[in-house]
Amino acid sequence: MTITIGVLALQGDVREHRAALEAAGARTVGVRRPEELAAVDGLVLPGGESTTIDKLLRIFELDEPLRARIAEGLPVYGSCAGMILLADRILGGTADQRTLGGLDVTVRRNAFGRQVDSFETDLAFAGLAPQDGGRAGAERAGAVHAVFIRAPWVEEVGPGVEVLARIPDHEAPGIPAAAAGRIVAVQQGSLLATSFHPEISGDARVHELFVRIAKG
């Protein structure tokens, strides 16, 4: 069964997410209007700047329709800023910043630091198959190469949230010491979120996971 996954096309890595979803077997469309949102089986909220996306959602009159569809059970995957948009609670946000909500987590915005503090690392990720011909150091089952760019992390999860990936507890080159053990990927029912950007790593397995979630 082929399903249609929308990618919110207001800001961020829209093209990269669509390419990864299509590699995972989904049909994709850009979503900018409520009628486009109404026609999809799932939605990706890409990275970008969470406060800007929040404002654009209001300008394009997508915020309330999207909240309603999330409440109805629409499968949604949020990466980086998309994780912030899905979170019920934010730390470090602006005074007027709103989220779409639905994901029972507390997220800290820009937790890893500024753009210059961006980094890459390999993480164990629950529910992913081994990658054939994977990157050196990421060959173990369920490992994913994660790219963090001004990323959030999850400080607290509710009882219905499954933790899929954490930063390793041990110190590693390039990773802030305060990040050790922090939660960076979660799932709650049909909602999936990552702090990092799998769409730019060349590995479509996180998107394959989301397509499976969207198929139900």
Side-chain angles (χ1 to χ4, degrees), residues 49-99:
E49 212 293 314
S50 59
T51 57
T52 299
I53 298 174
D54 171 35
K55 292 173 183 175
L56 290 171
L57 283 168
R58 300 184 219 179
I59 291 169
F60 282 80
E61 299 181 342
L62 274 168
D63 54 335
E64 292 307 324
L66 186 45
R67 285 191 184 92
R69 287 221 62 192
I70 291 172
E72 293 166 0
L74 177 72
V76 181
Y77 165 44
S79 67
C80 198
M83 170 185 271
I84 296 170
L85 289 166
L86 281 178
D88 284 344
R89 300 169 296 278
I90 306 177
L91 299 174
T94 61
D96 63 342
Q97 184 170 2
R98 299 190 303 180
T99 71

Side-chain angles (χ1 to χ4, degrees), residues 4 27 66 96 120 128 137 143-144 156 172 178 190 214:
T4 299
R27 180 187 301 112
L66 186 45
D96 63 342
E120 303 179 24
L128 295 189
V144 64
E156 182 181 62
S190 60

